[in-house]
Amino acid sequence: MSKIEPQAATILPGATIGMVGGGQLGRMFAIAATQMGYHVVVFTGSADDPAAQVTPRVVTGDLLDRQVVDKFAKQCDVITLEFENIPAQTIQWCSQFTPTYPSPDILATAQDRLIEKQTLQDAGLAVTPFAAVDSAAAVTAFAEQHGWPVIVKTVRSGYDGKGQHRLQNPANAEQVAWDQDGDWIAEQCIAFDREVSVIVARSSHGEIRCFPPLENRHRNHILDVSSCPATLSPEQSEEAISVATRVAERLDLVGVLCVEFFVVDGERLLINEIAPRPHNSGHLTIEACYTSQFQQHVRAVCGLPLGCTDLRVAAAAMVNLLGDVWPATGAAPPWDRALGIDNASLHLYGKTDAKPARKMGHLTATASDLAAAIKNAQQAAAHLH
Ligand code: ATP
Ligand code: MG
């Protein structure tokens, strides 16, 4: 049941949107919003951050400094965020001045893996079997029911596989630093056929639209390749879209949200996790869809009609560029070689410190069939090594 007021304000181009967070998601959002004629104020730690580089209006400071938050929020007609792990306090302060999306309630859900899974399960949606654990004995008890291996994750603050352990046996479980890093969740290790995601948008007027499902391949728990269309049956696609729609409704979403799924036994969909924001797997929508996930986010929080999410090409694939691509000498990778591949687009996030496993940019290739799109994106990335 929607709690959104149908008369929520429509915020037209020319107004000012606040973006809390200065990473690549904030950057691509700011580019999309600026293209549409909005002003964007980025609130982040440093004026060198990826999003701060693309707008003249930047507020730098501590997200928990009340005075800085007030200075930022007073400039904005609407505020949104790039990342669910923004402190709840910051969002509460922002929303005292300006409509702020997603709501503090959604953030509280998405910041805590246990609350998130419980909320989805209570809504009748299938999630990976899970339990709260705080010791090797608790993991062993969980494994007696669900089998080894078990994946344990920190309940809060994890991203890109950080804070995750794959435990094969009770001895492995003894090695986890149970007293550090806060609370832990155990999950059954799912022997999935594939991973897919659906990005859903819901506007402040309650309109909902989903992008076509994306298929995702991870390496070391970090997204490596996303492609579209996903290799799902029409029924599975419909099911994934229907689940994402129910999540958006259930959470009273305003903005964009990604639902990540495991496909099991060739047919069943289990929700892995949700992220209430544009998502790495949706970066290919910039080149591949009539509306990108970032433009859709702008439309959703400003109460504009949502854009068409259909593919405007036959197929597309995206490969993440991690810091590992940079030579140890510190020289730039041979970008010109990657761009020699047909229909390859390069996105770099303006990060200077190329650490291993750090997301520095991505390459997207569009093509007339899925295999060619994946091959071209991977070849473009391979040229960098
Ligand atoms: P991100 O923010 O990049 O999505 P995250 O740190 O929140 O990452 P998850 O999505 O929970 O992490 O896990 C990252 C990847 O690790 C998954 O996409 C999947 O490939 C693998 N993984 C995580 N949990 C499980 C599980 N229970 N069973 C099997 N594989 C898993
Ligand atoms: Mg994930």
Side-chain angles (χ1 to χ4, degrees):
M1 188 68 74
S2 172
K3 285 180 248 147
I4 303 280
E5 296 294 317
Q7 61 272 28
T10 301
I11 297 159
L12 294 174
T16 300
I17 309 178
M19 165 51 70
V20 186
Q24 64 266 25
L25 298 174
R27 177 183 175 102
M28 288 183 270
F29 174 90
I31 291 170
T34 306
Q35 180 196 312
M36 294 170 75
Y38 289 97
H39 302 280
V40 178
V41 187
V42 166
F43 180 17
T44 187
S46 155
D48 293 332
D49 287 344
Q53 295 170 19
V54 299
T55 172
R57 291 176 62 185
V58 181
V59 173
T60 52
D62 186 339
L63 297 179
L64 289 170
D65 180 334
R66 178 72 197 252
Q67 278 185 332
V68 186
V69 175
D70 288 3
K71 178 178 151 203
F72 162 72
K74 281 179 181 160
Q75 300 180 39
C76 305
D77 298 303
V78 61
I79 293 175
T80 187
L81 20 142
E82 67 155 3
F83 192 46
E84 57 277 20
N85 290 326
I86 302 288
Q89 179 69 82
T90 310
I91 301 312
Q92 233 127 36
W93 286 337
C94 285
S95 47
Q96 286 170 11
F97 291 101
T98 312
T100 301
Y101 307 118
S103 68
D105 281 357
I106 297 185
L107 290 177
T109 303
Q111 285 176 351
D112 184 304
R113 291 186 194 274
L114 282 167
I115 297 175
E116 177 180 305
K117 284 214 163 57
Q118 197 61 56
T119 303
L120 297 169
Q121 197 169 58
D122 292 348
L125 301 169
V127 300
T128 310
F130 69 98
V133 288
D134 58 4
S135 64
V139 173
T140 303
F142 180 82
E144 272 159 21
Q145 217 181 336
H146 298 285
W148 297 99
V150 174
I151 307 247
V152 296
K153 305 179 182 178
T154 51
V155 165
R156 301 179 73 86
S157 303
Y159 68 97
D160 290 347
K162 291 187 172 62
Q164 300 193 10
H165 304 275
R166 194 172 196 274
L167 307 177
Q168 305 283 1
N169 51 47
N172 283 169
E174 296 286 355
Q175 285 157 14
V176 175
W178 293 108
D179 296 338
Q180 290 164 31
D181 302 328
D183 299 332
W184 296 87
I185 181 173
E187 294 178 11
Q188 182 176 35
C189 184
I190 304 298
F192 52 79
D193 304 323
R194 53 176 64 84
E195 292 187 79
V196 298
S197 54
V198 172
I199 293 169
V200 54
R202 184 161 179 271
S203 82
S204 55
H205 300 301
E207 188 192 359
I208 296 186
R209 281 200 182 205
C210 292
F211 286 88
L214 301 145
E215 184 156 346
N216 306 314
R217 272 187 257 160
H218 292 76
R219 191 185 288 178
N220 302 325
H221 289 244
I222 303 178
L223 184 63
D224 182 25
V225 182
S226 289
S227 52
C228 193
T231 54
L232 294 174
S233 66
E235 295 74 30
Q236 283 177 322
S237 267
E238 234 168 76
E239 168 72 9
I241 286 171
S242 144
V243 170
T245 304
R246 282 163 64 192
V247 171
E249 282 170 344
R250 178 71 181 209
L251 297 180
D252 250 323
L253 173 74
V254 173
V256 162
L257 177 143
C258 179
V259 183
E260 298 175 24
F261 297 94
F262 297 129
V263 183
V264 194
D265 302 332
E267 51 164 359
R268 255 179 345 120
L269 292 171
L270 284 181
I271 299 179
N272 168 30
E273 61 167 353
I274 60 169
R277 54 172 164 79
H279 192 259
N280 195 169
S281 60
H283 291 354
L284 60 73
T285 60
I286 296 174
E287 283 84 11
C289 296
Y290 288 101
T291 309
S292 77
Q293 63 168 345
F294 299 102
Q295 186 188 132
Q296 199 75 310
H297 187 180
V298 175
R299 288 172 179 245
V301 299
C302 291
L304 296 173
L306 295 180
C308 170
T309 52
D310 291 348
L311 283 173
R312 59 192 175 91
V313 293
M318 180 228 59
V319 175
N320 268 333
L321 301 175
L322 304 182
D324 314 59
V325 165
W326 269 249
T329 58
W335 304 121
D336 48 338
R337 283 174 42 198
L339 289 168
I341 298 282
D342 241 15
N343 288 341
S345 300
L346 176 65
H347 297 252
L348 289 174
Y349 307 147
K351 299 180 185 177
T352 46
D353 196 5
K355 288 189 216 127
R358 186 176 194 210
K359 289 176 181 167
M360 303 293 287
H362 68 268
L363 279 162
T364 301
T366 56
S368 53
D369 68 73
L370 183 61
I374 295 172
K375 184 172 136 243
N376 288 354
Q378 285 183 321
Q379 243 169 29
H383 280 324
L384 299 173
H385 288 284

